[in-house]
Amino acid sequence: MWMIPRQNQSWVSEFILLGFSSDPMTNSILFIVFLLIYLSSVLGNGLIILLICLDSHLHTPMYFFLCILAMLDTGYITTTMPQMLIHLLAHSHTISFAGCWMQMYVFGALAATESMLFVIMAYDRYVAICYPLHYTVILNWGLCIESASGSLVCGFLSALLHTFFTMSLPYCGPNKVNHYFCEGPAVLSLACMDTHLIEMVDQVLSILMCLIPISLIMTSYIHIAMAILKIKSIQARCKAFSTCASHLTVVTLFYGPASYIYMRPNSSFSPERDKQISLFYNTFTALLNPVVYSLRNKDIKRAFLKVMAHGRVD
């Protein structure tokens, strides 16, 4: 039974996640593909965390934030991917109401925290390029820990508001979520009441978690670009630009799809398209971040080669 009677009305006690396909052969292929993506993401991000923790040369603000980003990406993809892999092979695709609530909350909390972290990382690059001689003074360890903690608190509080308002709505049927996990807009479309007010709350949260961070990041990089253009040496200028290119790539991959999903009206909800777009900022960013952001970094490569050659990092 999936309906619980409450005050002469039936409310769902579980949801059915439809996923990507109902064809067993297609699901088997998708299982292999997503399993490889998941394992690669976890191993790649795990390697970044391990190297940064082991190598004392990487104990700087920039790598501190990279380590947190890798942790968030690992948790981010683990919130949705294992269950999706199980559903690709299992006959039952159900998730309890409480399980859906928790998945939506944890996913949203990690996503919002990562959104705030990208702003801090942009500020880190701004200080490193515009004020290199004062970098360690301005971005001291106290500020690093406080800013990371602040992003975590803001992320989890905003996700709590979003999840509470979404899951407190009456869901009296149907209970089929056309998605591979309990993402807010997909679940909200099943509510059996007017969701206009909740959409307005979500729009405010989206502005706080998407538009404001994007604006701050763009402001940081405008100042960075102006500072780089003043550098006379072409080699030094290219080096400065390359340090920011990885961050901008990851930011684009994250904010582009996320802004589309959460900042447009629920009336334009398109399940099939939204599932594909969600994969970019949920799955592929976690996969590409270690490659784009860290494994191309010379310091990370040096630490990795030390581990491979000596089994430890001095």
Side-chain angles (χ1 to χ4, degrees):
M1 294 293 292
W2 58 272
M3 307 288 271
I4 298 177
R6 294 182 187 176
Q7 299 177 350
N8 299 324
Q9 189 178 30
S10 295
W11 286 26
V12 302
S13 63
E14 63 183 28
F15 293 101
I16 299 173
L17 298 173
L18 298 182
F20 290 97
S21 175
S22 58
D23 178 56
M25 181 60 70
T26 302
N27 284 340
S28 297
I29 296 172
L30 289 175
F31 175 83
I32 296 171
V33 172
F34 286 127
L35 178 63
L36 291 174
I37 290 174
Y38 176 66
L39 293 177
S40 299
S41 300
V42 172
L43 290 174
N45 285 291
L47 179 61
I48 297 303
I49 296 168
L50 181 65
L51 292 175
I52 292 174
C53 290
L54 291 178
D55 193 343
S56 59
H57 296 97
L58 300 180
H59 294 175
T60 64
M62 184 180 80
Y63 292 109
F64 171 70
F65 296 131
L66 277 177
C67 185
I68 295 175
L69 178 64
M71 290 179 183
L72 289 173
D73 282 335
T74 303
Y76 199 57
I77 196 169
T78 301
T79 304
T80 60
M81 192 63 71
Q83 183 185 58
M84 183 182 74
L85 291 171
I86 293 172
H87 284 177
L88 285 172
L89 297 182
H91 292 292
S92 175
H93 296 168
T94 60
I95 181 172
S96 67
F97 190 91
C100 188
W101 201 105
M102 183 57 66
Q103 186 182 59
M104 186 185 298
Y105 173 61
V106 174
F107 177 84
L110 295 176
T113 302
E114 189 162 318
S115 177
M116 302 297 290
L117 184 67
F118 281 134
V119 178
I120 300 170
M121 295 173 82
Y123 179 70
D124 169 77
R125 292 300 84 209
Y126 164 73
V127 175
I129 292 174
C130 296
Y131 303 97
L133 299 179
H134 304 284
Y135 178 71
T136 55
V137 176
I138 297 174
L139 218 61
N140 57 71
W141 280 112
L143 181 60
C144 289
I145 293 171
E146 288 174 5
S147 57
S149 301
S151 66
L152 194 68
V153 171
C154 290
F156 275 76
L157 284 178
S158 64
L160 183 61
L161 286 173
H162 166 72
T163 307
F164 174 77
F165 282 117
T166 300
M167 300 306 285
S168 62
L169 293 172
Y171 292 92
C172 43
N175 69 333
K176 293 182 179 180
V177 181
N178 195 352
H179 213 297
Y180 64 93
F181 74 101
C182 285
E183 190 168 31
V187 176
L188 188 63
S189 66
L190 300 179
C192 50
M193 67 168 286
D194 182 35
T195 61
H196 180 68
L197 180 61
I198 307 300
E199 286 186 51
M200 289 180 62
V201 173
D202 284 347
Q203 286 293 318
V204 172
L205 290 174
S206 297
I207 290 172
L208 292 174
M209 292 295 110
C210 286
L211 275 189
I212 292 178
I214 290 172
S215 300
L216 292 173
I217 291 170
M218 293 305 297
T219 301
S220 295
Y221 274 97
I222 288 172
H223 284 90
I224 289 172
M226 291 172 63
I228 291 175
L229 291 174
K230 293 178 182 179
I231 300 174
K232 294 181 180 180
S233 170
I234 296 178
Q235 185 177 2
R237 192 184 299 175
C238 291
K239 183 179 179 181
F241 271 123
S242 67
T243 60
C244 304
S246 297
H247 183 237
L248 285 174
T249 301
V250 172
V251 164
T252 303
L253 288 172
F254 178 84
Y255 283 109
S259 298
Y260 172 81
I261 294 294
Y262 287 97
M263 295 196 65
R264 38 86 199 222
N266 202 46
S267 57
S268 61
F269 175 68
S270 175
E272 297 303 323
R273 183 177 63 239
D274 289 1
K275 281 188 288 188
Q276 297 169 9
I277 293 174
S278 292
L279 280 175
F280 277 95
Y281 73 92
N282 173 217
T283 303
F284 293 119
T285 52
L287 174 67
L288 295 175
N289 279 358
V291 179
V292 174
Y293 214 133
S294 302
L295 294 181
R296 290 178 58 205
N297 184 288
K298 291 181 180 179
D299 294 329
I300 294 288
K301 281 184 178 180
R302 193 177 298 115
F304 178 72
L305 292 174
K306 284 182 182 178
V307 171
M308 291 295 99
H310 307 294
R312 61 187 176 88
V313 179
D314 298 323

